[in-house]
Amino acid sequence: MIAWEVIARIHHLLYFPPPSTIIDRAYHLWFAAPASRTFLTDQALQDLLPSLARLALGWTLAAALGLAAGITLGCLPVLAALTNSILHIGRAIPPPALLPLFLAILPIGTPTQLATIVYAVTWPILIATADGIRSIDRAFLDTATVFRLQRRRRLLSVLIPAAAPRILAGLRLSVSLALIMMVVSELAASTNGLGYRLQQAAGTLDIPAMWAVIVLLGGLGITANALFLLLQHRLLRSRQSTPAHGHA
């Protein structure tokens, strides 16, 4: 960081401004609101909040769809075999390639962006969940059969907890993918959000603003990953401690 600052100031690099300039631009863009109100500026309300809302909603919808489909396919091998070819084709299509299709059939704006995010993010969750269900140790299933657990209780008490490591790994991977697809969709089909701000900055050669968006997106990715790692650690730790506690 220090080397970047020194080199950029000595050589006056157009496309690589000093980090101090980038930080100053980011502060005035999003965080220099008057003390009498929230610390977010009006620009932040147009850039940050719409993007975060799309990210959260798109990821939530994809998680619900991916978990439901993954559990179904994991529990029904015959259905998984019948749909295997379709799933391979669907997951092989690059999600950005479908953006023109979504633009043609959906209203421009949030519906298009959500469709792009949901399509891309559903796949890793679905595949991780289905693989997790299929890889469950037979002993868990035999135990559930011995205790004659009903289907719903077997799912909630045996299948999902046993497949939790793989499911959580898929969910964690999907967070980063959701952030990427949020930016991609906003570059092409939005009038607000961080992707739109990035496009505007690049179009006007506002290089510090462009870098400010890039740095902010990196910070959002790191924060989201750290929070999910913490959640994953706590969930798996509580799951591992439950049998020991019950045995004691």
Side-chain angles (χ1 to χ4, degrees), residues 103-126:
L103 285 170
I105 64 178
L106 295 173
I108 295 177
T110 300
T112 300
Q113 294 147 8
L114 288 179
T116 305
I117 295 171
V118 170
Y119 178 83
V121 173
T122 297
W123 294 109
I125 300 174
L126 186 158

Side-chain angles (χ1 to χ4, degrees), residues 148-177:
R148 298 180 181 180
L149 297 181
Q150 295 180 351
R151 183 175 300 177
R152 181 172 180 273
R153 188 173 179 187
R154 177 190 295 230
L155 176 64
L156 297 177
S157 301
V158 178
L159 298 182
I160 293 179
R166 293 201 182 189
I167 293 175
L168 289 173
L171 289 171
R172 179 188 165 201
L173 173 63
S174 70
V175 173
S176 299
L177 186 56

Side-chain angles (χ1 to χ4, degrees), residues 194-214:
L194 291 173
Y196 175 76
R197 180 58 46 205
L198 180 62
Q199 184 184 53
Q200 292 295 105
T204 59
L205 283 181
D206 188 350
I207 305 303
M210 186 176 70
W211 273 104
V213 175
I214 293 172

